[in-house]
PDB file of all heavy atoms in Angstrom:
ATOM      1  N   ASN A 104      30.276  35.860   1.542  1.00 68.00           N
ATOM      2  CA  ASN A 104      29.549  36.907   0.823  1.00 68.00           C
ATOM      3  C   ASN A 104      30.233  37.298  -0.490  1.00 68.00           C
ATOM      4  O   ASN A 104      29.925  38.339  -1.062  1.00 68.00           O
ATOM      5  CB  ASN A 104      29.339  38.144   1.700  1.00 68.00           C
ATOM      6  CG  ASN A 104      30.653  38.807   2.084  1.00 68.00           C
ATOM      7  OD1 ASN A 104      31.726  38.354   1.691  1.00 68.00           O
ATOM      8  ND2 ASN A 104      30.572  39.876   2.866  1.00 68.00           N
ATOM      9  N   TYR A 106      29.644  36.481  -3.471  1.00 61.00           N
ATOM     10  CA  TYR A 106      28.641  35.820  -4.298  1.00 61.00           C
ATOM     11  C   TYR A 106      28.976  35.827  -5.780  1.00 61.00           C
ATOM     12  O   TYR A 106      28.565  34.947  -6.524  1.00 61.00           O
ATOM     13  CB  TYR A 106      27.274  36.486  -4.072  1.00 61.00           C
ATOM     14  CG  TYR A 106      26.871  36.516  -2.614  1.00 61.00           C
ATOM     15  CD1 TYR A 106      26.838  37.709  -1.910  1.00 61.00           C
ATOM     16  CD2 TYR A 106      26.514  35.345  -1.947  1.00 61.00           C
ATOM     17  CE1 TYR A 106      26.459  37.750  -0.570  1.00 61.00           C
ATOM     18  CE2 TYR A 106      26.138  35.370  -0.614  1.00 61.00           C
ATOM     19  CZ  TYR A 106      26.118  36.579   0.070  1.00 61.00           C
ATOM     20  OH  TYR A 106      25.754  36.608   1.392  1.00 61.00           O
ATOM     21  N   ASP A 107      29.727  36.849  -6.209  1.00 67.00           N
ATOM     22  CA  ASP A 107      30.046  36.951  -7.626  1.00 67.00           C
ATOM     23  C   ASP A 107      31.061  35.906  -8.074  1.00 67.00           C
ATOM     24  O   ASP A 107      31.303  35.738  -9.268  1.00 67.00           O
ATOM     25  CB  ASP A 107      30.580  38.351  -7.939  1.00 67.00           C
ATOM     26  CG  ASP A 107      31.816  38.690  -7.120  1.00 67.00           C
ATOM     27  OD1 ASP A 107      31.842  38.317  -5.929  1.00 67.00           O
ATOM     28  OD2 ASP A 107      32.737  39.332  -7.652  1.00 67.00           O
ATOM     29  N   PHE A 138      21.732  34.337  -3.334  1.00 92.00           N
ATOM     30  CA  PHE A 138      21.932  35.768  -3.495  1.00 92.00           C
ATOM     31  C   PHE A 138      21.438  36.156  -4.884  1.00 92.00           C
ATOM     32  O   PHE A 138      21.537  35.361  -5.826  1.00 92.00           O
ATOM     33  CB  PHE A 138      23.412  36.131  -3.345  1.00 92.00           C
ATOM     34  CG  PHE A 138      23.676  37.616  -3.290  1.00 92.00           C
ATOM     35  CD1 PHE A 138      23.434  38.325  -2.119  1.00 92.00           C
ATOM     36  CD2 PHE A 138      24.153  38.297  -4.398  1.00 92.00           C
ATOM     37  CE1 PHE A 138      23.664  39.690  -2.061  1.00 92.00           C
ATOM     38  CE2 PHE A 138      24.388  39.661  -4.353  1.00 92.00           C
ATOM     39  CZ  PHE A 138      24.147  40.365  -3.174  1.00 92.00           C
ATOM     40  N   ASP A 139      20.911  37.368  -4.976  1.00 93.00           N
ATOM     41  CA  ASP A 139      20.354  37.824  -6.249  1.00 93.00           C
ATOM     42  C   ASP A 139      21.466  38.355  -7.148  1.00 93.00           C
ATOM     43  O   ASP A 139      21.938  39.475  -6.980  1.00 93.00           O
ATOM     44  CB  ASP A 139      19.321  38.925  -5.966  1.00 93.00           C
ATOM     45  CG  ASP A 139      18.644  39.416  -7.225  1.00 93.00           C
ATOM     46  OD1 ASP A 139      18.746  38.719  -8.252  1.00 93.00           O
ATOM     47  OD2 ASP A 139      18.020  40.484  -7.185  1.00 93.00           O
ATOM     48  N   VAL A 193      22.975  56.566   3.375  1.00 98.00           N
ATOM     49  CA  VAL A 193      22.742  55.232   2.812  1.00 98.00           C
ATOM     50  C   VAL A 193      23.926  54.335   3.152  1.00 98.00           C
ATOM     51  O   VAL A 193      25.078  54.733   2.969  1.00 98.00           O
ATOM     52  CB  VAL A 193      22.563  55.289   1.274  1.00 98.00           C
ATOM     53  CG1 VAL A 193      22.376  53.879   0.711  1.00 98.00           C
ATOM     54  CG2 VAL A 193      21.391  56.180   0.897  1.00 98.00           C
ATOM     55  N   ILE A 194      23.632  53.139   3.665  1.00 98.00           N
ATOM     56  CA  ILE A 194      24.657  52.108   3.839  1.00 98.00           C
ATOM     57  C   ILE A 194      24.364  51.032   2.800  1.00 98.00           C
ATOM     58  O   ILE A 194      23.356  50.324   2.875  1.00 98.00           O
ATOM     59  CB  ILE A 194      24.646  51.513   5.256  1.00 98.00           C
ATOM     60  CG1 ILE A 194      24.934  52.604   6.289  1.00 98.00           C
ATOM     61  CG2 ILE A 194      25.662  50.381   5.374  1.00 98.00           C
ATOM     62  CD1 ILE A 194      24.865  52.134   7.732  1.00 98.00           C
ATOM     63  N   THR A 195      25.208  50.958   1.800  1.00 98.00           N
ATOM     64  CA  THR A 195      24.975  50.015   0.698  1.00 98.00           C
ATOM     65  C   THR A 195      25.494  48.630   1.066  1.00 98.00           C
ATOM     66  O   THR A 195      26.245  48.457   2.023  1.00 98.00           O
ATOM     67  CB  THR A 195      25.680  50.473  -0.584  1.00 98.00           C
ATOM     68  OG1 THR A 195      27.080  50.183  -0.487  1.00 98.00           O
ATOM     69  CG2 THR A 195      25.481  51.956  -0.843  1.00 98.00           C
ATOM     70  N   GLY A 196      25.097  47.642   0.260  1.00 95.00           N
ATOM     71  CA  GLY A 196      25.773  46.356   0.302  1.00 95.00           C
ATOM     72  C   GLY A 196      27.023  46.460  -0.557  1.00 95.00           C
ATOM     73  O   GLY A 196      27.452  47.558  -0.918  1.00 95.00           O
ATOM     74  N   LEU A 197      27.624  45.341  -0.884  1.00 92.00           N
ATOM     75  CA  LEU A 197      28.788  45.358  -1.762  1.00 92.00           C
ATOM     76  C   LEU A 197      28.434  46.127  -3.038  1.00 92.00           C
ATOM     77  O   LEU A 197      27.503  45.763  -3.764  1.00 92.00           O
ATOM     78  CB  LEU A 197      29.234  43.940  -2.089  1.00 92.00           C
ATOM     79  CG  LEU A 197      29.828  43.159  -0.907  1.00 92.00           C
ATOM     80  CD1 LEU A 197      29.925  41.675  -1.237  1.00 92.00           C
ATOM     81  CD2 LEU A 197      31.189  43.715  -0.531  1.00 92.00           C
ATOM     82  N   ALA A 198      29.185  47.195  -3.293  1.00 92.00           N
ATOM     83  CA  ALA A 198      28.771  48.173  -4.301  1.00 92.00           C
ATOM     84  C   ALA A 198      28.668  47.603  -5.709  1.00 92.00           C
ATOM     85  O   ALA A 198      27.905  48.110  -6.528  1.00 92.00           O
ATOM     86  CB  ALA A 198      29.737  49.356  -4.282  1.00 92.00           C
ATOM     87  N   HIS A 199      29.423  46.537  -6.016  1.00 90.00           N
ATOM     88  CA  HIS A 199      29.411  46.006  -7.383  1.00 90.00           C
ATOM     89  C   HIS A 199      28.275  45.020  -7.618  1.00 90.00           C
ATOM     90  O   HIS A 199      28.091  44.548  -8.739  1.00 90.00           O
ATOM     91  CB  HIS A 199      30.749  45.308  -7.677  1.00 90.00           C
ATOM     92  CG  HIS A 199      30.974  44.092  -6.846  1.00 90.00           C
ATOM     93  ND1 HIS A 199      31.458  44.153  -5.555  1.00 90.00           N
ATOM     94  CD2 HIS A 199      30.772  42.770  -7.102  1.00 90.00           C
ATOM     95  CE1 HIS A 199      31.549  42.932  -5.062  1.00 90.00           C
ATOM     96  NE2 HIS A 199      31.134  42.078  -5.975  1.00 90.00           N
ATOM     97  N   THR A 200      27.504  44.687  -6.586  1.00 91.00           N
ATOM     98  CA  THR A 200      26.453  43.682  -6.738  1.00 91.00           C
ATOM     99  C   THR A 200      25.170  44.313  -7.275  1.00 91.00           C
ATOM    100  O   THR A 200      24.873  45.483  -7.022  1.00 91.00           O
ATOM    101  CB  THR A 200      26.159  42.974  -5.407  1.00 91.00           C
ATOM    102  OG1 THR A 200      25.760  43.953  -4.432  1.00 91.00           O
ATOM    103  CG2 THR A 200      27.388  42.231  -4.902  1.00 91.00           C
ATOM    104  N   ALA A 201      24.395  43.518  -8.011  1.00 93.00           N
ATOM    105  CA  ALA A 201      23.179  44.020  -8.647  1.00 93.00           C
ATOM    106  C   ALA A 201      22.160  44.558  -7.642  1.00 93.00           C
ATOM    107  O   ALA A 201      21.592  45.636  -7.859  1.00 93.00           O
ATOM    108  CB  ALA A 201      22.558  42.926  -9.514  1.00 93.00           C
ATOM    109  N   PRO A 202      21.878  43.870  -6.519  1.00 95.00           N
ATOM    110  CA  PRO A 202      20.899  44.426  -5.579  1.00 95.00           C
ATOM    111  C   PRO A 202      21.317  45.787  -5.030  1.00 95.00           C
ATOM    112  O   PRO A 202      20.475  46.684  -4.903  1.00 95.00           O
ATOM    113  CB  PRO A 202      20.844  43.369  -4.466  1.00 95.00           C
ATOM    114  CG  PRO A 202      21.295  42.115  -5.097  1.00 95.00           C
ATOM    115  CD  PRO A 202      22.322  42.528  -6.093  1.00 95.00           C
ATOM    116  N   ALA A 203      22.605  45.952  -4.703  1.00 96.00           N
ATOM    117  CA  ALA A 203      23.072  47.238  -4.185  1.00 96.00           C
ATOM    118  C   ALA A 203      22.881  48.329  -5.225  1.00 96.00           C
ATOM    119  O   ALA A 203      22.442  49.446  -4.916  1.00 96.00           O
ATOM    120  CB  ALA A 203      24.539  47.140  -3.772  1.00 96.00           C
ATOM    121  N   GLN A 204      23.184  48.031  -6.467  1.00 96.00           N
ATOM    122  CA  GLN A 204      23.064  49.034  -7.526  1.00 96.00           C
ATOM    123  C   GLN A 204      21.603  49.388  -7.793  1.00 96.00           C
ATOM    124  O   GLN A 204      21.259  50.575  -7.965  1.00 96.00           O
ATOM    125  CB  GLN A 204      23.735  48.509  -8.798  1.00 96.00           C
ATOM    126  CG  GLN A 204      25.250  48.388  -8.674  1.00 96.00           C
ATOM    127  CD  GLN A 204      25.889  47.650  -9.833  1.00 96.00           C
ATOM    128  OE1 GLN A 204      25.220  47.175 -10.741  1.00 96.00           O
ATOM    129  NE2 GLN A 204      27.210  47.530  -9.805  1.00 96.00           N
ATOM    130  N   MET A 205      20.720  48.382  -7.828  1.00 97.00           N
ATOM    131  CA  MET A 205      19.307  48.652  -8.087  1.00 97.00           C
ATOM    132  C   MET A 205      18.665  49.413  -6.930  1.00 97.00           C
ATOM    133  O   MET A 205      17.865  50.334  -7.139  1.00 97.00           O
ATOM    134  CB  MET A 205      18.565  47.343  -8.353  1.00 97.00           C
ATOM    135  CG  MET A 205      18.893  46.717  -9.701  1.00 97.00           C
ATOM    136  SD  MET A 205      17.861  45.281 -10.097  1.00 97.00           S
ATOM    137  CE  MET A 205      18.583  44.044  -9.003  1.00 97.00           C
ATOM    138  N   ARG A 206      19.005  49.036  -5.694  1.00 98.00           N
ATOM    139  CA  ARG A 206      18.420  49.719  -4.541  1.00 98.00           C
ATOM    140  C   ARG A 206      18.908  51.165  -4.468  1.00 98.00           C
ATOM    141  O   ARG A 206      18.118  52.071  -4.163  1.00 98.00           O
ATOM    142  CB  ARG A 206      18.753  48.948  -3.262  1.00 98.00           C
ATOM    143  CG  ARG A 206      18.051  47.604  -3.205  1.00 98.00           C
ATOM    144  CD  ARG A 206      18.473  46.736  -2.027  1.00 98.00           C
ATOM    145  NE  ARG A 206      18.085  45.349  -2.279  1.00 98.00           N
ATOM    146  CZ  ARG A 206      18.306  44.335  -1.458  1.00 98.00           C
ATOM    147  NH1 ARG A 206      18.949  44.541  -0.308  1.00 98.00           N
ATOM    148  NH2 ARG A 206      17.909  43.118  -1.779  1.00 98.00           N
ATOM    149  N   LEU A 207      20.179  51.393  -4.752  1.00 98.00           N
ATOM    150  CA  LEU A 207      20.700  52.759  -4.740  1.00 98.00           C
ATOM    151  C   LEU A 207      20.032  53.594  -5.834  1.00 98.00           C
ATOM    152  O   LEU A 207      19.711  54.772  -5.622  1.00 98.00           O
ATOM    153  CB  LEU A 207      22.217  52.748  -4.929  1.00 98.00           C
ATOM    154  CG  LEU A 207      22.904  54.118  -4.846  1.00 98.00           C
ATOM    155  CD1 LEU A 207      22.642  54.780  -3.490  1.00 98.00           C
ATOM    156  CD2 LEU A 207      24.410  53.984  -5.094  1.00 98.00           C
ATOM    157  N   LYS A 208      19.801  52.993  -6.981  1.00 98.00           N
ATOM    158  CA  LYS A 208      19.139  53.707  -8.077  1.00 98.00           C
ATOM    159  C   LYS A 208      17.740  54.142  -7.666  1.00 98.00           C
ATOM    160  O   LYS A 208      17.304  55.266  -7.945  1.00 98.00           O
ATOM    161  CB  LYS A 208      19.086  52.812  -9.320  1.00 98.00           C
ATOM    162  CG  LYS A 208      18.579  53.510 -10.566  1.00 98.00           C
ATOM    163  CD  LYS A 208      18.641  52.576 -11.769  1.00 98.00           C
ATOM    164  CE  LYS A 208      18.118  53.262 -13.033  1.00 98.00           C
ATOM    165  NZ  LYS A 208      18.151  52.328 -14.199  1.00 98.00           N
ATOM    166  N   VAL A 226      27.061  58.396   1.844  1.00 97.00           N
ATOM    167  CA  VAL A 226      26.901  57.064   1.249  1.00 97.00           C
ATOM    168  C   VAL A 226      28.117  56.223   1.622  1.00 97.00           C
ATOM    169  O   VAL A 226      29.244  56.542   1.247  1.00 97.00           O
ATOM    170  CB  VAL A 226      26.762  57.140  -0.287  1.00 97.00           C
ATOM    171  CG1 VAL A 226      26.623  55.732  -0.873  1.00 97.00           C
ATOM    172  CG2 VAL A 226      25.559  57.993  -0.675  1.00 97.00           C
ATOM    173  N   LYS A 227      27.879  55.173   2.388  1.00 97.00           N
ATOM    174  CA  LYS A 227      28.959  54.303   2.863  1.00 97.00           C
ATOM    175  C   LYS A 227      28.743  52.889   2.328  1.00 97.00           C
ATOM    176  O   LYS A 227      27.617  52.377   2.324  1.00 97.00           O
ATOM    177  CB  LYS A 227      28.994  54.274   4.399  1.00 97.00           C
ATOM    178  CG  LYS A 227      29.162  55.648   5.044  1.00 97.00           C
ATOM    179  CD  LYS A 227      30.509  56.272   4.693  1.00 97.00           C
ATOM    180  CE  LYS A 227      30.681  57.647   5.327  1.00 97.00           C
ATOM    181  NZ  LYS A 227      31.979  58.272   4.955  1.00 97.00           N
ATOM    182  N   ASN A 228      29.825  52.272   1.908  1.00 97.00           N
ATOM    183  CA  ASN A 228      29.730  50.930   1.322  1.00 97.00           C
ATOM    184  C   ASN A 228      29.962  49.854   2.382  1.00 97.00           C
ATOM    185  O   ASN A 228      31.062  49.741   2.927  1.00 97.00           O
ATOM    186  CB  ASN A 228      30.758  50.769   0.204  1.00 97.00           C
ATOM    187  CG  ASN A 228      30.450  51.663  -0.985  1.00 97.00           C
ATOM    188  OD1 ASN A 228      29.289  51.925  -1.278  1.00 97.00           O
ATOM    189  ND2 ASN A 228      31.480  52.142  -1.660  1.00 97.00           N
ATOM    190  N   GLY A 229      28.925  49.075   2.648  1.00 97.00           N
ATOM    191  CA  GLY A 229      29.046  47.928   3.539  1.00 97.00           C
ATOM    192  C   GLY A 229      29.249  46.656   2.743  1.00 97.00           C
ATOM    193  O   GLY A 229      29.504  46.688   1.534  1.00 97.00           O
ATOM    194  N   ASP A 230      29.091  45.510   3.420  1.00 94.00           N
ATOM    195  CA  ASP A 230      29.289  44.226   2.723  1.00 94.00           C
ATOM    196  C   ASP A 230      28.161  43.237   3.024  1.00 94.00           C
ATOM    197  O   ASP A 230      28.350  42.033   2.923  1.00 94.00           O
ATOM    198  CB  ASP A 230      30.648  43.631   3.086  1.00 94.00           C
ATOM    199  CG  ASP A 230      30.769  43.252   4.562  1.00 94.00           C
ATOM    200  OD1 ASP A 230      29.761  43.385   5.317  1.00 94.00           O
ATOM    201  OD2 ASP A 230      31.865  42.833   4.980  1.00 94.00           O
ATOM    202  N   TRP A 231      27.003  43.754   3.441  1.00 95.00           N
ATOM    203  CA  TRP A 231      25.807  42.981   3.765  1.00 95.00           C
ATOM    204  C   TRP A 231      25.843  42.389   5.175  1.00 95.00           C
ATOM    205  O   TRP A 231      24.838  41.826   5.617  1.00 95.00           O
ATOM    206  CB  TRP A 231      25.547  41.850   2.762  1.00 95.00           C
ATOM    207  CG  TRP A 231      25.443  42.277   1.336  1.00 95.00           C
ATOM    208  CD1 TRP A 231      26.328  41.992   0.337  1.00 95.00           C
ATOM    209  CD2 TRP A 231      24.411  43.065   0.723  1.00 95.00           C
ATOM    210  NE1 TRP A 231      25.925  42.556  -0.850  1.00 95.00           N
ATOM    211  CE2 TRP A 231      24.744  43.220  -0.660  1.00 95.00           C
ATOM    212  CE3 TRP A 231      23.235  43.644   1.186  1.00 95.00           C
ATOM    213  CZ2 TRP A 231      23.943  43.922  -1.555  1.00 95.00           C
ATOM    214  CZ3 TRP A 231      22.439  44.353   0.292  1.00 95.00           C
ATOM    215  CH2 TRP A 231      22.801  44.485  -1.049  1.00 95.00           C
ATOM    216  N   SER A 235      29.652  45.403   9.241  1.00 97.00           N
ATOM    217  CA  SER A 235      29.893  46.513   8.315  1.00 97.00           C
ATOM    218  C   SER A 235      28.868  47.618   8.517  1.00 97.00           C
ATOM    219  O   SER A 235      29.171  48.807   8.331  1.00 97.00           O
ATOM    220  CB  SER A 235      29.883  46.022   6.865  1.00 97.00           C
ATOM    221  OG  SER A 235      28.567  45.757   6.410  1.00 97.00           O
ATOM    222  N   CYS A 239      30.119  51.351   9.217  1.00 97.00           N
ATOM    223  CA  CYS A 239      29.669  52.455   8.371  1.00 97.00           C
ATOM    224  C   CYS A 239      28.953  53.519   9.201  1.00 97.00           C
ATOM    225  O   CYS A 239      29.128  54.728   8.968  1.00 97.00           O
ATOM    226  CB  CYS A 239      28.752  51.944   7.266  1.00 97.00           C
ATOM    227  SG  CYS A 239      29.584  50.995   5.982  1.00 97.00           S
ATOM    228  N   MET A 258      20.830  48.765   3.355  1.00 98.00           N
ATOM    229  CA  MET A 258      20.306  47.929   2.272  1.00 98.00           C
ATOM    230  C   MET A 258      19.984  46.499   2.680  1.00 98.00           C
ATOM    231  O   MET A 258      19.553  45.705   1.835  1.00 98.00           O
ATOM    232  CB  MET A 258      21.262  47.955   1.084  1.00 98.00           C
ATOM    233  CG  MET A 258      21.231  49.278   0.357  1.00 98.00           C
ATOM    234  SD  MET A 258      22.075  49.172  -1.239  1.00 98.00           S
ATOM    235  CE  MET A 258      21.893  50.861  -1.814  1.00 98.00           C
ATOM    236  N   MET A 262      22.763  44.942   8.333  1.00 98.00           N
ATOM    237  CA  MET A 262      23.510  46.194   8.417  1.00 98.00           C
ATOM    238  C   MET A 262      22.714  47.251   9.175  1.00 98.00           C
ATOM    239  O   MET A 262      23.294  48.072   9.903  1.00 98.00           O
ATOM    240  CB  MET A 262      23.879  46.686   7.014  1.00 98.00           C
ATOM    241  CG  MET A 262      24.861  45.794   6.280  1.00 98.00           C
ATOM    242  SD  MET A 262      25.510  46.509   4.736  1.00 98.00           S
ATOM    243  CE  MET A 262      24.008  46.687   3.770  1.00 98.00           C
TER     244      MET A 262
END
Side-chain angles (χ1 to χ4, degrees):
N104 64 1
Y106 305 110
D107 58 321
F138 189 78
D139 183 16
V193 178
I194 299 177
T195 77
L197 291 166
H199 66 278
T200 59
Q204 292 170 358
M205 288 187 285
R206 292 174 198 180
L207 184 59
K208 187 176 179 181
V226 179
K227 302 296 180 182
N228 293 327
D230 65 4
W231 304 112
S235 75
C239 289
M258 288 193 181
M262 294 190 298

